[in-house]
Amino acid sequence: MIKSKKTGQLIVISAPSGAGKGTIINELLKRDNKTRWLSVSATSRLPRPGEKEGVTYYYLTKEDFEKKIEEGYFIEYTNYAGNYYGTPKNYIREKLDQGIDVILEIEIEGAANIKKIVPEALFIFIMPPSLKELVRRLKTRGTETNEKILKRFNTAYKEVNEVTKYNYVVVNDRLDDAVEKVESILKAEKCRVDR
Ligand code: 5GP
């Protein structure tokens, strides 16, 4: 007999800065916030104007963050640009068991750590349109100094290398298209035989 248990999917979304992943995720949640849940991370960085405690992040001091690391509070954490960022463990299992998809908006190192713990999670990389443009320019233009070209290429190369660790890549050149693409990925994943 075929048994079916509806569990949620763990979805990891990463992007280089400026790729617009926050906007895409907001749009996904606007469309459906009943079967989708965005995990709120903790950070030791200070709030930026407009950010809200418990909505954007949980803001902790460096000391409190380190205490929580020791207590095993995080499923993953990292040090990014001099500040801690971490995904709290609580709620994730509960939401997945309720059939709710859990979205983690985290950087590449955190994503790699999640992959070690939850290899069946879905990994989506959002690419900024400027990278595509950059590759085109690198190929066709000869006006930049060699040093500049090399520096840009190195950055692009690093990002492209990271992409290969993800299941899907979505280039955000038009917001509507990018959101549609992510929606299609999420729908297709629900139809997978191994799920
Ligand atoms: P920002 O300071 O701009 O809000 O975030 C900096 C980076 O940290 C972004 O790439 C963001 O996705 C990432 N980030 C946010 N929360 C977490 C988290 O809980 N874990 C990890 N590994 N990265 C995170």
Side-chain angles (χ1 to χ4, degrees), residues 78-92:
T78 195
N79 200 306
Y80 179 91
N83 292 301
Y84 284 121
Y85 293 84
T87 307
K89 268 185 199 157
N90 50 1
Y91 300 127
I92 292 184

Side-chain angles (χ1 to χ4, degrees), residues 21-37:
K21 72 175 180 293
T23 323
I24 292 175
I25 292 171
N26 282 343
E27 192 55 39
L28 292 172
L29 293 171
K30 235 197 270 170
R31 290 173 176 213
D32 176 1
N33 65 4
K34 288 199 174 69
T35 65
R36 284 175 191 157
W37 180 73

Side-chain angles (χ1 to χ4, degrees), residues 13-15 17 21 40-43 45 48 51 56-57 76-78 80 85-88 105-111:
I13 303 186
S14 305
S17 60
K21 72 175 180 293
V40 179
S41 295
T43 182
R45 84 151 161 75
R48 294 188 190 126
E51 293 187 348
T56 321
Y57 283 109
E76 65 76 34
Y77 72 92
T78 195
Y80 179 91
Y85 293 84
T87 307
E105 193 212 304
I106 60 178
E107 50 68 68
I108 48 181
E109 213 177 278

Side-chain angles (χ1 to χ4, degrees), residues 81-149:
N83 292 301
Y84 284 121
Y85 293 84
T87 307
K89 268 185 199 157
N90 50 1
Y91 300 127
I92 292 184
R93 175 48 50 202
E94 195 184 315
K95 296 281 179 193
L96 294 175
D97 286 346
Q98 289 167 2
I100 295 171
D101 292 339
V102 172
I103 303 173
L104 307 183
E105 193 212 304
I106 60 178
E107 50 68 68
I108 48 181
E109 213 177 278
N113 287 330
I114 292 290
K115 197 165 186 176
K116 282 183 210 147
I117 317 163
V118 192
E120 68 277 18
L122 173 62
F123 296 86
I124 303 175
F125 194 91
I126 310 287
M127 193 79 98
S130 53
L131 189 65
K132 201 173 155 192
E133 180 65 6
L134 173 73
V135 172
R136 192 184 67 79
R137 281 188 194 174
L138 283 174
K139 278 187 192 161
T140 56
R141 262 191 8 194
T143 52
E144 303 267 23
T145 63
N146 278 347
E147 196 191 356
K148 263 193 183 166
I149 289 178

